[in-house]
Amino acid sequence: MSWMAKLYDTYDAAMQLDLDGDQALMPISHSIQNAHIHIVLDGDGKFIRAEVLDKLQIMLPATEASAGRTSGEAPHALADKLQYVAADYSEFGGTKKAYFSSYHDQLSAWCNSIYVHTKAQAVLSYIEQERVIADLVAQQVIHLDDNGHLLNCWEHEEEIPALFKILPKQKGETDQGAALVCWSVELSGDRQPHTWLDETLQQSWVDYQASESSDAGFCFITGENAPLATSHPAKLRHSGDSAKLISANDSSGFTYRGRFTTPQQAASVGFGATQKAHNALRWLIKRQGFRNGDQVWVSWAVSGQPIPEPAVSSWDWNLNLDALDNTTDHATESVSNDNEPTLQHSRNLGAQFAKQLNRYLAGYRAKLKPTEEVVVMGLDSATQGRMSLIYYRELLSGEFLDRVEQWHRQFAWYQRHSEELPTEGKKKPKTRTIWPIASLAPRKIAETIYGSRLDDALKKSVIERLMPCIIDQRPLPEDLLRLAVKRVSNRVGYPTDEWWRWEQDLGVACALYRGYRARHPQMNQQKEYSMALEEENHSRDYLYGRLLAIAERIEEVALSVGGENRTTMAARLMQRFADRPYTTWRTLELSLQPYMQRLQVSRTGFLVNRKRELDQILAQFIPADFISDKALSGEFLLGYHCQRMAQKPKLTDDSSEHAESIELSNQE
């Protein structure tokens, strides 16, 4: 029950925060619902007007039973469905069972107590007139058929009524009795007629509920004797969520009777404790939760202080590399002829990224005390009505920030992004491609690994396996890395009009391999890769990757000179090259000869430089490694990408090479 205790503490801490409106925590003994009909009364309970609401979510007073109701009779205290609040529901042919008596009795008991509120009394006076449906029909909010019964299907030529637009359909029919009614009471001098926003009304209900609790016992959360909860709240992820984290009311299905005779013997939780804990969890999910379908991840500091979201890319943190001063290892930036800044990737930008990352996290370190507690929790649906806790960790704030920083530092790489350029007037906005250094979001990793085969189940599985890598600093699962490398190596598997997606996935695969080697389970296999071309790296796989990038570059320029626009041989044979590098390189080398002859005259400088690079790389091979046809590891992608990035267009003294670079850039 540790998670409930932390949420209970979080609720008390968050109540001390200065939050307004939608940011505020929901008081206990309340629930949230979508309201459909708004009825306005005066202080004597006389009907004034009514209207249809457009999916307004309200906070309504609720009992322990009604807050967790999924079926059956359990009225809310004030705002509820027509089948509860309208005594004349059956007279107008309501198809469902009418629950007016229980709703009326509960509201009467509240109004007869010392905690009565004027607005609640006005609502009671009105519903006792037993003409709610009649008034709504007169206001044309509710519609009847020719027999005077509630209409369940609109078949007229006129425009569909507003209520039929917002109510859900079941088997093609709309049940108007399921519309939830909320109340406003207009009083002289009162600035807040809406009952769902009136804090005095909320407190009145909370006080009344506390006075009604009688079944006391030992609360596992607070360690004190308190009124015990027999039902726990639902609607944690959204207003329609009926799944519960705690449920022990199934006395007939022997859910707990294998060991206990009463649910309290398994765990007894105080009414106030469970209300506060669930309200805090609902507030955290809405405020800072990361949702993936039914799966939810939420991390928070118990004190309520902000913390960085661990399941997002550092790109979303808007780390500004340009804001740093030009230190010795800062990447130089130049401006090409088309006014687009171009980074020179011959220097290691990883140190620059780490510096900015440290600066970003330092802001959080300054606000969080070292002993402050941080909790990371993962939730998912177990069955239709049950929710499971799939991950839970408690950490100190310093430990949490260190682990988040390690993830973002070790799994950072150049990632392809597009940004819009400002234009004048009504001109169509232009975009340009940029390659900032960024770490990865689990969702993007799942998309890279499975591509179009990715479904909700696979995405949940991948994220569930990656979160321990972020929070617990576990090594990256090797099977995920292999899948990512294999998919990116199969470049022809991507549609020709979506090569930008392949470039995105290439950046992700490189980041995964870099992080995998940094956390390799075997110490002698651990290795740190810089985010720049390592010209002194003599690894066979890395060198083969560089050869492939240069071969591709030569062919690209030759095709551009010849006015051709087709896929290069290097791109088509990339998968084969990864599986059998030596024999495939012989094929690529022979296929380059015609292109080199084409460049011999018009692009002499460019060709000489590329040949020089090829010779330098080939000279670094150990002969036995070079002639081996052993499949390449993901390291060849690092060599390929770094060589490719180093060949990006840039201003150099070699004017002829720059010309081809700009030309190719414009084609892209």
Side-chain angles (χ1 to χ4, degrees):
M1 306 298 281
S2 176
W3 62 274
M4 282 200 74
K6 297 302 177 190
L7 287 169
Y8 177 82
D9 294 339
T10 302
Y11 184 92
D12 288 338
M15 289 297 286
Q16 306 302 319
L17 301 177
D18 185 18
L19 301 174
D20 297 325
D22 295 339
Q23 296 295 319
L25 274 161
M26 186 167 66
I28 64 173
S29 301
H30 282 72
S31 183
I32 53 174
Q33 290 275 335
N34 286 326
H36 308 103
I37 297 175
H38 176 211
I39 297 179
V40 182
L41 310 173
D42 65 11
D44 297 326
K46 294 180 181 177
F47 180 86
I48 298 178
R49 62 183 179 275
E51 61 179 343
V52 177
L53 299 172
D54 186 12
K55 296 182 180 179
L56 175 66
Q57 194 171 76
I58 66 168
M59 186 165 56
L60 50 84
T63 66
E64 185 181 7
S66 72
R69 88 181 179 199
T70 54
S71 60
E73 185 175 5
H76 295 308
L78 202 63
D80 212 326
K81 296 180 179 179
L82 279 174
Q83 68 182 115
Y84 281 91
V85 305
D88 53 350
Y89 173 70
S90 299
E91 296 176 16
F92 285 88
T95 56
K96 292 186 177 179
K97 189 174 181 180
Y99 296 132
F100 176 76
S101 296
S102 59
Y103 172 79
H104 174 264
D105 293 345
Q106 182 172 267
L107 184 56
S108 298
W110 179 17
C111 294
N112 292 329
S113 71
I114 60 174
Y115 304 103
V116 62
H117 194 278
T118 306
K119 292 176 181 174
Q121 184 65 57
V123 173
L124 177 63
S125 300
Y126 173 64
I127 63 167
E128 288 179 339
Q129 299 173 24
E130 301 184 356
R131 50 175 298 105
V132 174
I133 299 288
D135 286 339
L136 292 177
V137 170
Q139 291 280 310
Q140 295 186 338
V141 171
I142 296 290
H143 298 270
L144 306 178
D145 59 16
D146 295 338
N147 298 321
H149 294 164
L150 293 174
L151 190 65
N152 56 19
C153 185
W154 186 261
E155 296 178 343
H156 302 282
E157 295 182 355
E158 292 84 359
E159 186 181 357
I160 300 176
L163 190 59
F164 279 79
K165 291 181 181 178
I166 60 174
L167 285 177
K169 288 185 178 180
Q170 291 185 347
K171 298 180 180 179
E173 294 187 349
T174 301
D175 179 16
Q176 297 185 82
L180 191 136
V181 178
C182 61
W183 312 92
S184 287
V185 180
E186 294 181 345
L187 303 172
S188 177
D190 182 27
R191 295 184 178 180
Q192 184 51 272
H194 302 322
T195 57
W196 62 93
L197 297 177
D198 191 330
E199 295 183 358
T200 61
L201 179 68
Q202 294 170 0
Q203 190 58 48
S204 171
W205 173 250
V206 170
D207 295 340
Y208 171 70
Q209 277 285 281
S211 67
E212 288 294 296
S213 301
S214 59
D215 187 12
F218 180 76
C219 175
F220 280 27
I221 305 304
T222 61
E224 300 173 351
N225 283 325
L228 297 181
T230 57
S231 179
H232 299 269
K235 302 179 179 62
L236 295 175
R237 294 169 294 191
H238 51 80
S239 60
D241 184 17
S242 60
K244 293 183 180 180
L245 272 169
I246 304 177
S247 180
N249 57 358
D250 186 8
S251 58
S252 61
F254 291 89
T255 303
Y256 56 81
R257 284 190 170 179
R259 292 184 177 182
F260 311 108
T261 57
T262 64
Q264 287 74 22
Q265 292 174 349
S268 55
V269 181
F271 172 76
T274 190
Q275 289 276 323
K276 286 185 177 181
H278 283 84
N279 283 357
L281 181 57
R282 188 182 294 116
W283 175 72
L284 288 167
I285 290 174
K286 179 182 178 183
R287 189 170 183 241
Q288 60 206 56
F290 164 67
R291 296 185 58 177
N292 176 36
D294 288 341
Q295 194 181 68
V296 174
W297 295 88
V298 61
S299 53
W300 75 95
V302 177
S303 65
Q305 293 293 332
I307 61 172
E309 169 57 50
V312 301
S313 164
S314 59
W315 171 254
D316 297 325
W317 288 349
N318 295 319
L319 300 184
N320 186 9
L321 290 174
D322 297 335
L324 295 182
D325 54 2
N326 291 323
T327 54
T328 55
D329 58 349
H330 189 279
T332 58
E333 186 175 272
S334 58
V335 180
S336 60
N337 289 342
D338 53 0
N339 296 325
E340 291 188 5
T342 305
L343 292 175
Q344 293 187 10
H345 296 276
S346 57
R347 296 189 177 188
N348 182 7
L349 282 172
Q352 191 72 5
F353 170 77
K355 190 179 296 184
Q356 186 66 7
L357 182 64
N358 283 338
R359 185 171 297 183
Y360 176 80
L361 293 176
Y364 290 101
R365 293 182 193 278
K367 295 178 181 177
L368 293 168
K369 298 177 182 177
T371 56
E372 205 152 340
E373 292 179 307
V374 173
V375 179
V376 182
M377 180 186 288
L379 305 169
D380 199 359
S381 294
T383 62
Q384 188 174 3
R386 300 289 181 270
M387 196 184 302
S388 62
L389 199 63
I390 58 174
Y391 184 86
Y392 182 78
R393 292 289 184 278
E394 294 177 13
L395 306 97
L396 296 178
S397 63
E399 188 180 21
F400 171 77
L401 292 175
D402 288 344
R403 293 182 178 184
V404 170
E405 181 182 350
Q406 282 298 313
W407 165 261
H408 288 280
R409 186 194 301 273
Q410 294 175 338
F411 287 81
W413 194 259
Y414 296 102
Q415 305 298 329
R416 187 186 192 278
H417 288 278
S418 297
E419 66 176 10
E420 286 192 359
L421 297 173
T423 56
E424 298 179 356
K426 298 182 179 179
K427 292 182 180 179
K428 185 178 179 180
K430 295 181 179 179
T431 60
R432 70 174 179 180
T433 301
I434 56 175
W435 286 87
I437 292 176
S439 54
L440 306 170
R443 193 199 313 257
K444 181 57 185 173
I445 296 175
E447 291 171 355
T448 297
I449 292 174
Y450 291 105
S452 59
R453 294 189 295 123
L454 183 67
D455 55 21
D456 290 342
L458 282 173
K459 190 186 295 183
K460 286 182 180 180
S461 173
V462 172
I463 293 176
E464 193 172 338
R465 297 180 66 190
L466 289 176
M467 288 303 288
C469 300
I470 302 173
I471 306 301
D472 302 333
Q473 279 191 307
R474 292 184 185 175
L476 181 75
E478 188 173 354
D479 62 310
L480 297 183
L481 174 68
R482 288 181 182 276
L483 288 171
V485 171
K486 184 176 181 180
R487 182 163 180 267
V488 171
S489 299
N490 184 23
R491 186 170 172 177
V492 293
Y494 288 77
T496 53
D497 57 344
E498 292 187 2
W499 276 23
W500 59 270
R501 193 182 300 277
W502 173 80
E503 289 188 326
Q504 282 189 344
D505 291 347
L506 175 62
V508 174
C510 289
L512 290 180
Y513 187 81
R514 181 171 180 264
Y516 170 78
R517 289 298 299 270
R519 297 184 176 185
H520 199 284
Q522 301 177 13
M523 293 291 291
N524 60 353
Q525 294 295 317
Q526 291 184 358
K527 186 175 181 179
E528 293 283 348
Y529 289 94
S530 65
M531 281 176 277
L533 182 62
E534 298 179 357
E535 295 182 348
E536 299 302 321
N537 189 336
H538 294 183
S539 166
R540 166 182 174 268
D541 295 0
Y542 194 87
L543 293 174
Y544 261 124
R546 293 185 61 189
L547 285 180
L548 182 66
I550 294 174
E552 181 184 54
R553 179 68 174 168
I554 292 173
E555 190 174 353
E556 278 180 345
V557 174
L559 291 175
S560 176
V561 170
E564 299 178 61
N565 182 19
R566 57 180 169 84
T567 307
T568 64
M569 180 72 80
R572 294 200 299 270
L573 298 182
M574 193 169 183
Q575 177 67 68
R576 182 176 151 190
F577 184 83
D579 294 336
R580 300 185 296 278
Y582 175 65
T583 54
T584 309
W585 172 248
R586 295 297 303 163
T587 303
L588 284 174
E589 193 174 32
L590 292 174
S591 70
L592 285 179
Q593 297 308 315
Y595 300 120
M596 289 185 176
Q597 292 175 4
R598 184 184 296 179
L599 298 172
Q600 188 66 44
V601 177
S602 59
R603 300 291 188 271
T604 305
F606 166 79
L607 185 60
V608 169
N609 288 337
R610 298 293 83 77
K611 284 183 174 180
R612 186 185 300 125
E613 288 177 345
L614 285 175
D615 292 340
Q616 290 173 349
I617 295 172
L618 290 171
Q620 294 177 12
F621 273 101
I622 298 174
D625 287 345
F626 181 67
I627 63 175
S628 170
D629 242 355
K630 180 184 175 184
L632 300 175
S633 69
E635 188 180 23
F636 102 92
L637 291 178
L638 295 186
Y640 169 80
H641 199 211
C642 285
Q643 185 69 48
R644 201 163 178 260
M645 296 295 287
Q647 295 171 162
K648 284 287 180 183
K650 57 190 177 185
L651 287 175
T652 67
D653 294 333
D654 187 341
S655 59
S656 62
E657 180 170 348
H658 178 239
E660 287 102 10
S661 299
I662 296 301
E663 188 174 1
L664 283 174
S665 175
N666 292 335
Q667 287 181 358
E668 291 175 356

